[in-house]
DNA sequence: TAGATTGTTAATCGATTAACAATC
DNA sequence: TAGATTGTTAATCGATTAACAATC
């Protein structure tokens, strides 16, 4: 199925739709109109209909949208019908926190291994997830199915680690290092720059519109 | 000084400018033109000039921008000339990871205390930062200067915790819980929804444009 | 059928890019 | 002064909202 290019803005909203639909499902709500969903999500009904129509007509005139159906359809669009194996580069606090966060697995993201240059961590496990030496990175990826790598190491090592990962075939990078990675077109990088997020708080606190 | 409303898009880019200028400073670069910066940052020179001009003329025709000056000016705009005390609600892995991340302090964000409903954690410290009972939250905030609270607890408790924080006077919330908080207008919420970030990776991996 | 609500086109709004006069 | 580069206006592009005919 060929669909035209979806804008970045729409993609960014999809997981939020998915979350709200999941909640509605848990509440036992069977159907919802763009108007009702609009009230819940604090976005316009028009935007909801526009967004969903990027992927085809999920609704029905006079009825609205079937919650369960729409939830699963958006799940498929997001690629959540598949499982992704994840490795974590950098077994420090952040890396361990991610390894410990079992909830990601519910969505199909399974942490399989951690890697660290610090040989003292070698052999350690976090929630059953082993820490290996960075020396073993290529071997591990060759012998295991890995789709996504989380970079939870200091900025200084991030670019080099990314290069190795890309060379050996990884196409998804979840980058927590405070740097912009330069990668080929077919590699997906999703940045989580926590310090930038903090700075936006301080900006808004400092420049609070009265 | 009254300046007109700055758009959300511009604010989002400011920390990135700040990061690049910091790097230039470290490299010993004294001045930079919008054209050169454009090449580094992969955004148009026009956008750079537009963005900076929201805050006044930082550059000089025929010369460009003085790196050190611009760095400090953007720092001031971002409110990084002040110190912010931070408390962490939820002393689980993510909370501890944030407590452990000393780098935030370099930017003026100082973690002071953690709170958890799990009384077993009470008395524990992480990098010298103590864990208190949630029962002591209001007392602590009354007796200490706290500007920002990080919510690193499960979704179920997040809304209630936010209510308590706001009631006692906190105006900055760094929300890691997978829920949208409803807050008064003068409260700043910055969301970090890690699972949504993962979903965007899976979307892009699944729908990779060939 | 009448009422509700979608899918979709058209209008508006905002953000980005281009262009160039001002000026160091 | 001549060259470089900003600050700023105008043009373009894209995203959001409004409107309404189609249709369940």
């Amino acid at each position: 199925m060929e669909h035209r290019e979806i804008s970045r803005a729409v993609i960014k909203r999809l997981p939020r739709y998915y979350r709200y639909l999941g909640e509605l499902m848990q509440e036992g709500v069977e159907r919802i109109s763009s108007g009702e969903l609009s009230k819940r999500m604090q976005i316009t009904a028009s935007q909801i209909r526009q967004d969903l129509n990027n992927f085809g007509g999920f609704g029905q005139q006079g009825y609205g949208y079937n919650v369960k159906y729409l939830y699963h359809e958006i799940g498929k669009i997001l690629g959540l019908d598949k499982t992704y194996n994840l490795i974590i580069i950098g077994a420090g606090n952040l890396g361990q926190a991610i390894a410990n966060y079992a909830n990601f697995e519910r969505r199909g993201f399974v942490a399989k291994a951690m890697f660290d240059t610090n040989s003292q961590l070698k052999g350690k496990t976090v929630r059953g997830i082993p820490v290996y030496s960075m020396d073993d990175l290529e071997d591990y990826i060759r012998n295991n199915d890995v789709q996504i790598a989380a970079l939870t190491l200091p900025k200084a090592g991030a670019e080099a680690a990314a290069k190795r990962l890309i060379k050996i075939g990884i196409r998804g990078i979840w980058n927590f290092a405070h740097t912009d990675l330069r990668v080929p077109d077919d590699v997906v990088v999703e940045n989580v720059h926590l310090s930038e997020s903090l700075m936006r708080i301080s900006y808004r606190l400092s420049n609070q519109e009265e």
Side-chain angles (χ1 to χ4, degrees), chain A residues 109-177:
Chain A
F109 301 95
V110 185
K112 290 286 189 178
M114 309 176 77
F115 294 85
D116 206 290
T117 47
N118 180 354
S119 53
Q120 289 196 323
L121 293 169
K122 201 174 153 174
K124 196 185 149 117
T125 72
V126 174
R127 200 172 57 94
I129 300 159
V131 180
Y132 298 115
S133 160
M134 270 304 272
D135 299 337
D136 302 329
L137 182 66
E138 280 80 3
D139 265 353
Y140 181 91
I141 295 175
R142 253 185 238 110
N143 296 314
N144 292 273
D145 222 31
V146 179
Q147 286 81 36
I148 300 174
L151 295 186
T152 54
L153 35 60
K155 175 184 184 146
E159 189 77 53
K163 273 221 175 70
R164 284 173 66 182
L165 290 162
I166 291 165
K167 194 172 177 201
I168 198 80
I170 299 294
R171 285 295 163 268
I173 294 181
W174 201 16
N175 178 38
F176 289 79

Side-chain angles (χ1 to χ4, degrees), chain A residues 4-208:
Chain A
R4 84 202 108 115
E5 199 57 50
I6 309 297
S7 85
R8 196 55 77 93
V10 174
I11 297 167
K12 230 182 146 192
R13 283 192 291 270
L14 280 183
R16 192 158 173 265
Y17 286 120
Y18 190 71
R19 174 155 53 84
Y20 273 86
L21 288 163
E23 285 171 8
L24 284 164
M25 234 169 62
Q26 281 187 327
E27 292 172 26
V29 177
E30 251 182 40
R31 67 189 185 93
I32 193 156
S33 68
S34 58
E36 287 173 78
L37 193 55
S38 153
K39 270 184 231 145
R40 283 215 180 212
M41 294 185 66
Q42 312 264 54
I43 55 177
T44 64
S46 200
Q47 180 163 73
I48 292 170
R49 294 201 299 277
Q50 284 280 21
D51 282 354
L52 297 180
N53 255 71
N54 278 295
F55 305 99
F58 294 138
Q60 198 166 76
Q61 283 98 329
Y63 171 89
Y65 299 88
N66 179 290
V67 172
K68 202 178 267 182
Y69 173 71
L70 187 55
Y71 176 81
H72 288 297
E73 285 302 311
I74 294 182
K76 274 192 267 175
I77 291 165
L78 284 167
L80 301 178
D81 49 345
K82 306 182 204 82
T83 292
Y84 300 88
N85 291 330
L86 190 85
I87 58 173
I88 298 165
I89 315 298
N93 291 293
L94 188 56
Q96 290 188 33
I98 288 171
N100 258 308
Y101 196 64
N103 260 9
F104 294 143
E105 270 164 41
R106 283 204 358 250
R107 292 282 121 80
F109 301 95
V110 185
K112 290 286 189 178
M114 309 176 77
F115 294 85
D116 206 290
T117 47
N118 180 354
S119 53
Q120 289 196 323
L121 293 169
K122 201 174 153 174
K124 196 185 149 117
T125 72
V126 174
R127 200 172 57 94
I129 300 159
V131 180
Y132 298 115
S133 160
M134 270 304 272
D135 299 337
D136 302 329
L137 182 66
E138 280 80 3
D139 265 353
Y140 181 91
I141 295 175
R142 253 185 238 110
N143 296 314
N144 292 273
D145 222 31
V146 179
Q147 286 81 36
I148 300 174
L151 295 186
T152 54
L153 35 60
K155 175 184 184 146
E159 189 77 53
K163 273 221 175 70
R164 284 173 66 182
L165 290 162
I166 291 165
K167 194 172 177 201
I168 198 80
I170 299 294
R171 285 295 163 268
I173 294 181
W174 201 16
N175 178 38
F176 289 79
H178 301 147
T179 192
D180 297 322
L181 302 171
R182 299 290 163 90
V183 303
D185 272 356
D186 64 335
V187 174
V188 168
V189 177
E190 174 79 20
N191 290 312
V192 181
H193 290 332
L194 293 180
S195 60
E196 299 193 358
S197 173
L198 266 179
M199 288 182 200
R200 283 190 283 272
I201 299 184
S202 84
Y203 173 86
R204 289 164 65 196
L205 287 175
S206 304
N207 299 270
Q208 210 146 31

